[in-house]
């Protein structure tokens, strides 16, 4: 529960964050939920804040900037999680491989989120440790960590569900003749209890607001599959924005798990895909991110762990191939991180611009709103009521057009672009005639195309 006194205290302890915040009305509605005129509640369950509290109190004792508590907590949690991963996989795959895997986990936008006062770094750390514990068959500890993670984002429980499936199959296999033996039942009961933290935010929200989760109004199955694919393959916000090679290895891991009937590996792969599907339910795909989507960033450790476990199975006696593959992935990932630099949710990264400016047909934009968002620099951009035109800013040539085929957009497009090679736009008109009505299409004009188009003044 939050009161006016808490807001006054926040302004005193965090002057650089809340110096102009005096009342509830000064805060965005997404930060606090109103219970009554004098009491409010955080939109997110405050587990991340609780984790940051010890560092905050320590900084307060030494009269230092307490706002740094969040950054320091993020760094400490990530170091601890990466160290734990390294120690476990050093035993499994050797010092050199474990070191490279650790660096690969670190060489992604998580570095940018250290200064971001949000739960993403905590989720990243908890997801990493949970997946390592799961791989070690330490089900209860893994379930507890993923359950805690889900208090900050309930979709993390997608991984927890599949963990339980793996445990249940293992339980059945190992205790087929003694399913209800006292020790076996007790062990399963203990595991179930580890999931209790995940229920706390739902129960609190339902008690005060009559809904299980405040952002449930953002959930929709419309466009679900396109968002799911975008979170994987989109070059700006998806896993592809971190490493295309790792996506290929993940697909190979999934196929291998099915072909070789490695069911634990198959279930872990499924947990990653199911978790991505769960956070794809929410409509706001184009906001609140630094570089890749924040959801993608915290599922990334689980994504990598599937690949690690597969390579340890397949290439354990082929060290040269193992290390060469790992070095290639790390080099590509680091190069991509440096090349793209920092970019926000309303702009294309450097790799996307390189492709769009030269061979836009190779740039596969899965979700139309993400293209609209970045071309027009619009937050969200979910409603597309006009054609969207990407232009090479260096020479003014049109490279890619998002076109919804109806009469209004047809004339809008013809009025907006021109061409010295196709003055009456007959070639373009002919192309549009092949489109079905009331559907989105991309029109691509490569840099070496015979006909080039430009925006009219």
């Amino acid at each position: 529960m939050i009161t006016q006194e808490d807001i006054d205290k926040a302004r005193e302890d965090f002057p650089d964050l809340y110096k102009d915040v005096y009342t509830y009305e000064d805060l965005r509605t997404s930060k606090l939920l109103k219970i009554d005129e004098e009491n409010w509640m955080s939109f997110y369950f405050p587990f991340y804040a609780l984790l940051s509290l010890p560092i905050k109190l320590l900084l307060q004792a030494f009269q230092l900037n307490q706002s740094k508590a969040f950054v320091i907590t993020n760094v400490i949690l990530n170091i601890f999680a990466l160290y734990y991963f390294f120690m476990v996989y050093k035993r499994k795959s050797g010092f050199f491989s474990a070191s490279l895997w650790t660096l690969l986990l670190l060489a992604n936008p998580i570095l940018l989120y250290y200064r971001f006062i949000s739960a993403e770094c905590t989720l990243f750390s908890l997801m990493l440790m949970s997946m390592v514990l799961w791989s070690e068959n330490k089900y209860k500890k893994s379930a507890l960590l993923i359950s805690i993670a889900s208090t900050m984002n309930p979709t993390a429980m997608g991984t927890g569900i599949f963990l339980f499936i793996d445990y249940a199959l293992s339980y059945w296999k190992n205790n087929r003749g003694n399913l209800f033996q006292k020790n076996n039942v007790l062990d399963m009961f203990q595991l179930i209890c580890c999931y209790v933290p995940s229920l706390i935010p739902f129960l609190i929200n339902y008690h005060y607001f009559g809904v299980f989760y405040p952002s449930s109004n953002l959930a929709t199955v419309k466009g679900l599959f396109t968002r799911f694919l975008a979170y994987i393959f989109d070059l700006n916000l998806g896993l592809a924005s971190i490493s295309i090679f790792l996506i290929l290895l993940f697909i190979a891991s999934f196929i291998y798990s099915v072909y070789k009937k490695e069911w634990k590996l198959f279930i872990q792969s499924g947990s990653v895909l199911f978790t991505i599907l769960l956070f794809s339910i929410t409509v706001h795909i184009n906001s609140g991110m630094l570089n890749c989507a924040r959801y993608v960033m915290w599922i990334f450790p689980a994504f990598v762990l599937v690949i690690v476990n597969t390579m340890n199975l397949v290439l354990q006696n082929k060290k040269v191939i193992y290390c060469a593959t790992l070095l290639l992935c790390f080099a590509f990932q680091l190069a991509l991180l440096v090349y793209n630099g920092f970019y926000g949710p309303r702009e294309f990264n450097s790799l996307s611009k390189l492709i769009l400016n030269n061979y836009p047909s190779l740039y596969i934009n899965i979700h139309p709103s993400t293209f609209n968002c970045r071309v027009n620099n619009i937050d969200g951009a979910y409603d597309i009521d006009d054609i969207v035109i990407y232009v090479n800013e260096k020479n003014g040539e049109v490279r890619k057009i998002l076109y919804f085929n109806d009469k209004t957009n047809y004339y809008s497009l013809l009025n907006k672009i021109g061409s010295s090679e196709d003055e009456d736009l007959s070639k373009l008109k002919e192309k549009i005639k092949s489109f079905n009505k009331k559907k989105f299409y991309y029109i691509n004009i490569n840099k070496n195309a015979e006909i080039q188009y430009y925006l009219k003044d």
Side-chain angles (χ1 to χ4, degrees):
M1 198 76 67
I2 299 169
T3 64
Q4 182 62 46
E5 288 74 16
D6 295 316
I7 295 176
D8 295 336
K9 182 63 175 173
R11 191 171 61 254
E12 177 186 334
D13 289 348
F14 310 114
D16 48 342
L17 299 176
Y18 295 101
K19 62 180 179 181
D20 297 321
V21 176
Y22 292 93
T23 67
Y24 162 77
E25 299 300 331
D26 295 325
L27 287 165
R28 292 187 298 111
T29 54
S30 61
K31 286 188 177 179
L32 292 180
L33 298 170
K34 193 171 184 178
I35 297 175
D36 54 43
E37 292 302 320
E38 296 182 352
N39 295 280
W40 310 281
M41 195 168 73
S42 173
F43 186 83
Y44 298 104
F45 189 76
F47 187 81
Y48 171 61
L50 290 172
L51 278 177
S52 303
L53 185 59
I55 302 298
K56 186 262 185 193
L57 294 174
L58 187 63
L59 292 173
Q60 184 179 23
F62 286 95
Q63 297 184 334
L64 298 172
N65 186 349
Q66 296 176 58
S67 299
K68 300 298 182 184
F70 304 104
V71 178
I72 295 171
T73 299
N74 289 340
V75 173
I76 290 174
L77 285 171
N78 273 247
I79 289 174
F80 182 82
L82 289 165
Y83 176 75
Y84 178 66
F85 167 83
F86 171 77
M87 293 305 294
V88 171
Y89 279 86
K90 183 179 72 170
R91 169 172 50 83
K92 289 186 172 185
S93 55
F95 177 85
F96 180 72
S97 296
S99 299
L100 277 178
W101 281 120
T102 304
L103 290 172
L104 185 142
L105 280 163
L106 193 59
N108 69 79
I110 188 67
L111 300 170
L112 300 173
Y113 280 81
Y114 284 156
R115 62 182 178 84
F116 197 48
I117 302 175
S118 189
E120 274 62 46
C121 286
T122 302
L123 283 162
F124 179 98
S125 302
L126 292 174
M127 182 63 72
L128 177 56
M129 289 188 288
S130 178
M131 288 297 292
V132 173
L133 288 163
W134 182 5
S135 300
E136 293 284 282
N137 296 322
K138 297 178 180 179
Y139 292 101
K140 289 188 280 292
K141 291 178 181 178
S142 178
L144 181 60
L145 290 184
I146 206 64
S147 180
I148 291 171
S150 74
T151 64
M152 292 170 278
N153 192 311
T155 62
M157 189 44 67
T159 304
I161 292 170
F162 274 69
L163 184 150
F164 188 84
I165 292 172
D166 181 44
Y167 172 86
L169 291 175
S170 177
Y171 178 90
W172 174 263
K173 181 180 178 181
N174 297 330
N175 304 286
R176 199 168 295 177
N178 301 287
L179 288 178
F180 300 106
Q181 191 176 11
K182 183 179 179 180
N183 290 340
N184 295 336
V185 173
L186 180 61
D187 188 72
M188 180 170 280
F189 177 74
Q190 290 172 342
L191 178 68
I192 292 171
C193 288
C194 291
Y195 286 100
V196 169
S198 67
L199 302 176
I200 295 173
F202 292 101
L203 296 175
I204 291 175
N205 285 320
Y206 189 78
H207 174 74
Y208 285 108
F209 304 108
V211 294
F212 286 112
Y213 205 71
S215 62
S216 57
N217 62 316
L218 296 173
T220 175
V221 294
K222 183 180 180 181
L224 172 64
F225 190 60
T226 55
R227 288 191 295 273
F228 171 76
L229 292 177
Y231 279 126
I232 299 172
F233 297 108
D234 189 282
L235 285 174
N236 291 271
L237 64 79
L239 287 162
S241 69
I242 302 174
S243 177
I244 298 169
F245 283 154
L246 288 179
I247 291 178
L248 296 176
L249 287 175
F250 181 87
I251 294 171
S253 298
F254 185 80
I255 295 171
Y256 173 83
S257 67
V258 175
Y259 180 70
K260 291 292 186 179
K261 298 181 180 179
E262 292 284 351
W263 300 123
K264 187 183 190 70
L265 188 60
F266 173 74
I267 292 170
Q268 287 185 329
S269 302
S271 75
V272 175
L273 297 174
F274 184 64
T275 303
I276 295 173
L277 185 69
L278 285 182
F279 61 64
S280 299
I281 291 173
T282 54
V283 71
H284 59 286
I285 191 172
N286 300 323
S287 59
M289 70 185 80
L290 299 171
N291 289 44
C292 72
R294 62 186 189 273
Y295 302 136
V296 165
M297 197 206 62
W298 60 254
I299 197 61
F300 181 71
F303 177 73
V304 170
L305 258 292
V306 169
I307 300 168
V308 176
N309 292 337
T310 305
M311 287 182 60
N312 283 345
L313 274 174
V314 178
L315 301 175
Q316 57 182 333
N317 297 321
K318 300 175 182 177
K319 292 296 183 183
V320 175
I321 300 175
Y322 186 109
C323 292
T325 303
L326 184 49
L327 278 169
L328 183 64
C329 288
F330 173 67
F332 180 81
Q333 189 169 312
L334 185 61
L336 195 60
L337 182 67
V338 174
Y339 180 65
N340 283 332
F342 171 80
Y343 60 95
R346 297 189 299 275
E347 57 186 316
F348 291 103
N349 60 26
S350 298
L351 179 63
S352 296
K353 289 179 181 178
L354 179 67
I355 298 171
L356 283 166
N357 289 338
N358 292 279
Y359 300 100
S361 54
L362 297 179
Y363 182 86
I364 303 172
N365 201 92
I366 297 159
H367 202 287
S369 73
T370 61
F371 188 73
N372 185 29
C373 170
R374 294 170 192 134
V375 170
N376 293 313
N377 197 29
I378 303 171
D379 190 30
Y382 303 112
D383 296 323
I384 306 174
D385 52 13
D386 198 358
I387 53 174
V388 184
I389 305 174
Y390 176 86
V391 176
N392 185 338
E393 58 189 19
K394 293 181 180 179
N395 57 23
E397 292 176 348
V398 172
R399 286 285 173 260
K400 198 175 188 78
I401 303 169
L402 174 61
Y403 174 76
F404 186 77
N405 192 23
D406 64 11
K407 188 174 181 180
T408 302
N409 283 332
Y410 177 75
Y411 289 110
S412 177
L413 177 59
L414 298 183
N415 288 329
K416 285 184 177 182
I417 68 172
S419 172
S420 57
E421 297 90 0
D422 184 20
E423 293 183 4
D424 59 357
L425 302 180
S426 58
K427 295 290 185 183
L428 185 63
K429 293 174 183 176
E430 186 179 335
K431 185 177 184 66
I432 292 174
K433 282 182 181 179
S434 66
F435 296 161
N436 295 324
K437 295 289 185 182
K438 303 296 183 180
K439 288 185 69 175
F440 278 111
Y441 290 92
Y442 284 104
I443 302 171
N444 301 296
I445 304 100
N446 291 341
K447 71 170 185 176
N448 56 357
E450 183 180 348
I451 299 174
Q452 296 294 331
Y453 297 91
Y454 54 83
L455 287 179
K456 292 180 180 177
D457 294 332

